[in-house]
Amino acid sequence: MKYEGQVNVNASRQEIMSYMDNVEKLVPCFPKIKQFSKNQDGSYDVIGSVGIGFIKGEYRANVKLEKINDESLKMTAKGKGMNSNVDIDATIQVQNNLIKYSAEVKVSGTLATVGARMMGSAVEGIVNDLFSCFKKQIEKT
């Protein structure tokens, strides 16, 4: 599944990149994060909970955020939980006061089979909420 979108932010490119390049600032926007810790390789281990339709439970993920250049970031996440696996490869580009994102999400296991019909709209809602939260947090500073 591929998700793309953009958010206008009332901030400069430098302010946006400063925020987006700091995982500790981003974490509060992710839904229902219970715990996160930084690894020696710069990635983060995350524990949280999620619900898609009637399928609810805890997940564990490894998330890595890499700065590509002064305008782009790459985020990869590999998660497991609820008898499912989720891999996310996302690119985030900042152009002036605009955040553009593109994410490829691969799901296997229970979520892919039982929750397939609900998955697309649920993930799209989570992604939209996430970037709306980023916008609010950036504009606060």
Side-chain angles (χ1 to χ4, degrees), residues 22-38:
N22 185 333
V23 173
E24 285 84 5
K25 289 181 179 179
L26 298 175
V27 166
C29 287
F30 286 88
K32 301 180 183 174
I33 296 289
K34 295 178 180 178
Q35 178 183 341
F36 82 102
S37 57
K38 188 173 184 175

Side-chain angles (χ1 to χ4, degrees), residues 1-138:
M1 293 178 281
K2 187 159 181 133
Y3 299 92
E4 295 179 324
Q6 60 187 35
V7 177
N8 284 305
V9 181
N10 188 18
S12 69
R13 181 180 56 78
Q14 292 84 1
E15 291 168 322
I16 296 169
M17 283 300 290
S18 175
Y19 177 86
M20 298 297 294
D21 196 27
N22 185 333
V23 173
E24 285 84 5
K25 289 181 179 179
L26 298 175
V27 166
C29 287
F30 286 88
K32 301 180 183 174
I33 296 289
K34 295 178 180 178
Q35 178 183 341
F36 82 102
S37 57
K38 188 173 184 175
N39 298 314
Q40 288 184 333
D41 67 356
S43 69
Y44 289 81
D45 288 328
V46 178
I47 299 173
S49 61
V50 70
I52 296 179
F54 60 89
I55 303 170
K56 296 177 182 7
E58 188 173 276
Y59 68 88
R60 294 176 181 269
N62 179 267
V63 179
K64 189 164 191 170
L65 188 66
E66 299 175 76
K67 189 172 185 177
I68 298 170
N69 56 42
D70 288 343
E71 297 179 350
S72 302
L73 299 162
K74 178 178 178 160
M75 183 183 78
T76 55
K78 296 191 181 298
K80 294 181 180 186
M82 302 168 292
N83 296 318
S84 301
N85 294 313
V86 177
D87 291 336
I88 301 169
D89 287 309
T91 302
I92 302 165
Q93 294 182 314
V94 178
Q95 299 170 344
N96 298 319
N97 63 337
L98 185 67
I99 300 173
K100 291 183 176 183
Y101 58 89
S102 175
E104 183 70 34
V105 180
K106 296 176 185 167
V107 181
S108 61
T110 303
L111 285 174
T113 55
V114 178
R117 287 181 286 147
M118 298 175 281
M119 182 65 82
S121 61
V123 172
E124 186 174 1
I126 291 168
V127 170
N128 288 338
D129 290 348
L130 181 66
F131 280 91
S132 292
C133 179
F134 292 163
K135 171 186 168 80
K136 288 177 191 171
Q137 295 298 324
I138 294 167

